[in-house]
Amino acid sequence: KKEEGGHDEL
Amino acid sequence: NIFRVLGDFSHLASIFILLHKIQQLKSCSGISFKSQVLYMLVYITRYLDLPWTSSPYNFIFKVLFISSELYIIYLMARAYKPTNDPNLDTFHVEFLLGFAGLLALLFPYKYTILEVFWAFSIWLESVAILPQLFMLQRTGEAEAMTAHYIAALGMYRALYIPNWIYRYFSEPTHKVDTIAVTAGILQTILYSDFFWIYYTKVMRGEKFKLP
């Protein structure tokens, strides 16, 4: 659930 | 990890408990419309990155939160508007918006639209429950469903705290999201007195009444 740059949590 | 998944499902559960209460009792009495509007603002400003969300898990939850919140607001503002009592929902939300706006402008991670709105959303979420808790204070009691709604909503962010601890120790590359953690702890603290009453009363099957 990795996300580049942005936030990876809700 | 499990804490975060439990947290997200607790969040989802809170929304469905609220929807169930409104549709079952055909009334939104005891629910703060102001808090619901603040949550709508939280989702919109936080999920501006919806179009390029890479993880399907996050994408689905973001869509679910935005759509269910829109529906709740529709129910409260249109379908069951007569059961809305604005005289009880009197918290000054401008203080909350100012608080979140100020912190978002002072301490964003980056001065980009997305990051400033994200920080705004995080800080706003940490205080968005206040109108609801304030209303509860004024009415002095709440239906069990409303108490379950607030409890599930509070649990969601409370579960993010062990999630952050877990990630700190288990993911070497994980950098601590200081804004989310600080606001998350503040948010959970705001629920603490409610949790105590909820735990002592509702768990014993009693009606939710403030002492």
Side-chain angles (χ1 to χ4, degrees):
Chain A
K1 300 183 192 112
K2 279 286 161 231
E3 292 207 354
E4 67 295 330
H7 301 275
D8 66 354
E9 290 182 343
L10 290 171
Chain B
N1 63 64
I2 183 66
F3 298 114
R4 186 169 135 197
V5 170
L6 282 179
D8 292 336
F9 277 95
S10 174
H11 190 183
L12 197 62
S14 75
I15 291 178
F16 286 117
I17 292 171
L18 179 57
L19 271 174
H20 176 73
K21 173 245 181 308
I22 294 178
Q23 287 174 326
Q24 192 76 11
L25 304 179
K26 297 217 174 312
S27 149
C28 44
S29 65
I31 303 297
S32 161
F33 183 66
K34 289 184 173 180
S35 278
Q36 295 310 314
V37 172
L38 290 178
Y39 282 121
M40 187 73 253
L41 205 52
V42 165
Y43 297 138
I44 291 171
T45 53
R46 181 157 332 164
Y47 301 147
L48 293 172
D49 64 350
L50 179 63
W52 48 91
T53 297
S54 63
S55 108
Y57 174 90
N58 282 358
F59 186 83
I60 292 168
F61 269 101
K62 288 177 181 180
V63 170
L64 273 177
F65 291 150
I66 292 174
S67 49
S68 53
E69 193 57 44
L70 273 173
Y71 185 51
I72 287 169
I73 287 181
Y74 159 75
L75 287 177
M76 293 186 80
R78 295 275 179 281
Y80 301 116
K81 183 170 176 50
T83 63
N84 229 340
D85 180 356
N87 304 319
L88 280 175
D89 198 3
T90 57
F91 197 92
H92 293 287
V93 292
E94 52 275 15
F95 294 147
L96 307 180
L97 293 166
F99 164 81
L102 191 68
L103 285 171
L105 288 173
L106 288 178
F107 315 111
Y109 286 134
K110 285 196 299 282
Y111 277 98
T112 65
I113 295 293
L114 269 180
E115 281 303 317
V116 172
F117 274 108
W118 181 84
F120 173 76
S121 154
I122 289 283
W123 287 113
L124 185 61
E125 184 190 6
S126 67
V127 293
I129 194 64
L130 286 174
Q132 178 64 62
L133 293 177
F134 185 73
M135 181 186 238
L136 196 56
Q137 192 81 28
R138 290 195 52 178
T139 52
E141 65 176 11
E143 293 153 7
M145 289 298 280
T146 307
H148 296 321
Y149 158 65
I150 300 173
L153 192 55
M155 274 314 289
Y156 130 68
R157 212 66 187 173
L159 284 164
Y160 260 67
I161 296 172
N163 152 61
W164 289 318
I165 296 170
Y166 178 88
R167 295 189 69 182
Y168 179 78
F169 288 110
S170 70
E171 294 171 24
T173 61
H174 177 64
K175 59 179 180 7
V176 176
D177 189 335
T178 42
I179 295 179
V181 172
T182 319
I185 291 170
L186 167 65
Q187 183 168 334
T188 305
I189 289 172
L190 292 179
Y191 279 85
S192 51
D193 60 340
F194 168 83
F195 275 140
W196 172 249
I197 299 170
Y198 181 79
Y199 178 72
T200 47
K201 301 263 175 164
V202 179
M203 287 313 206
R204 283 208 306 250
E206 290 177 28
K207 187 169 173 48
F208 186 91
K209 276 178 79 63
L210 300 183

